[in-house]
């Protein structure tokens, strides 16, 4: 296995059935068959070493990530702690019971304050790594609100609050690139940046099917975003 420079974890939320982890950039969530270290591995190791508070009694082999984030995307990843309760959360995902919000920094300056992109997304037939807006793709809906825009190093950058109503692969990246505002640092749909990919899973809200309790989990903006927009939280 390869290793991350820092395998410490920030735990955002714990209850009897769930653990929410603040994912750093540069690590995948699930195994991709290459032997690369995963966020799941790091969490399992932390639990075995008793480095994660309030997680006593968790069987590391039962941990299962309930959603994916791309390798360089940061923010909330929710894990199921127990196989016995995981189907409840799988059903919640299938029924679109999670409200997901992201922070994003896009290249360019929006001509609008708020916008909803309702464009289907399918695979790019010419590049297996990419997705694209396609009339034959699956429905995808992304709501976007401009939080700030400023000129930095001779280009306009726009800070966005993004809510996705569907969960297609690379959805935010594809929709913003389609609008002519690719994410800063998105080498696949725009161009790379030394600052890294500027996409952060900031908020996850849902009603816990175990308890009926409304939950709202927040991940603070990463340092690389705050360096560009110091006021962002």
């Amino acid at each position: 296995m390869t290793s991350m420079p820092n395998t410490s974890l920030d735990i955002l939320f714990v209850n009897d059935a769930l653990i929410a982890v603040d994912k750093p950039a540069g690590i995948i969530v699930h195994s991709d068959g290459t032997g690369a270290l995963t966020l799941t591995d790091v969490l399992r190791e932390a639990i075995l070493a008793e480095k994660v508070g309030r997680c006593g009694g968790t069987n590391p082999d039962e941990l299962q990530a309930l959603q994916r984030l791309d390798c360089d995307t940061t923010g909330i990843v929710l894990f199921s702690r127990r196989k016995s309760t995981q189907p409840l959360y799988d059903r919640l995902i299938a029924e679109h019971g999670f409200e997901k919000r992201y922070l994003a920094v896009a290249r360019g300056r929006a001509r609008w304050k708020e916008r909803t992109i309702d464009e289907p997304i399918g695979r790019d037939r010419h590049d297996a790594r990419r997705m694209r807006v396609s009339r034959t793709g699956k429905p995808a809906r992304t709501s976007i609100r401009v939080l700030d825009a400023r000129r930095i190093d001779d280009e306009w950058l726009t800070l966005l609050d993004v809510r996705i109503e569907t969960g297609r692969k690379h959805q935010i990246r594809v929709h913003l690139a389609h609008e002519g505002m690719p994410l800063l640092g998105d080498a696949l749909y725009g161009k790379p940046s030394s600052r890294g990919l500027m996409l952060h899973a900031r908020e996850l809200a849902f009603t816990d099917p175990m308890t009926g309790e409304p939950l709202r989990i927040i991940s603070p903006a990463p340092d690389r975003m705050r360096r560009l927009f110091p006021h962002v939280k």
Side-chain angles (χ1 to χ4, degrees), residues 108-213:
R109 191 174 188 183
R111 298 184 300 273
W112 32 262
K113 182 66 177 175
E114 296 187 15
R115 181 167 176 76
T116 296
I117 303 171
D118 197 349
E119 297 282 359
I121 291 176
R123 293 197 173 274
D124 189 328
R125 291 174 296 172
H126 306 291
D127 188 338
R129 301 171 303 159
R130 291 167 53 100
M131 307 296 285
R132 65 185 180 93
V133 167
S134 168
R135 284 182 295 178
T136 60
K138 294 181 179 180
R141 187 177 175 90
T142 306
S143 297
I144 306 167
R145 180 168 60 93
V146 173
L147 299 176
D148 196 2
R150 58 182 61 189
R151 196 167 180 83
I152 299 173
D153 295 337
D154 295 324
E155 71 171 328
W156 278 99
L157 299 178
T158 302
L159 178 66
L160 301 168
D161 172 68
V162 182
R163 180 168 59 87
I164 58 172
E165 299 178 25
T166 49
R168 307 303 173 205
K169 183 178 179 180
H170 297 174
Q171 178 172 322
I172 295 171
R173 299 166 67 184
V174 171
H175 273 171
L176 284 173
H178 183 70
E179 285 291 305
M181 293 183 64
L183 286 176
L184 180 61
D186 192 344
L188 193 57
Y189 298 100
K191 59 183 181 180
S193 167
S194 60
R195 295 187 174 99
L197 179 70
M198 291 291 175
L199 184 61
H200 178 70
R202 176 170 68 166
E203 181 178 334
L204 189 64
F206 59 100
T207 299
D208 191 329
M210 283 282 293
T211 64
E213 177 186 5

Side-chain angles (χ1 to χ4, degrees), residues 4 6-10 21-28 39 70-75 224:
M4 243 169 51
N6 180 2
T7 55
S8 63
L9 286 179
D10 289 331
V21 175
D22 201 358
K23 176 189 172 300
I27 187 169
I28 56 178
L39 189 68
D70 295 335
C71 180
D72 290 323
T73 301
T74 57
R224 62 187 182 185

Side-chain angles (χ1 to χ4, degrees), residues 1-5 7 26-28 32 34-38 41-42 45:
M1 285 187 180
T2 58
S3 61
M4 243 169 51
T7 55
I27 187 169
I28 56 178
D32 60 359
T34 65
L37 187 72
T38 72
D41 295 329
V42 175
E45 290 169 6

Side-chain angles (χ1 to χ4, degrees), residues 9-27:
L9 286 179
D10 289 331
I11 304 300
L12 300 169
F13 174 83
V14 177
N15 70 9
D16 288 342
L18 301 169
I19 305 172
V21 175
D22 201 358
K23 176 189 172 300
I27 187 169

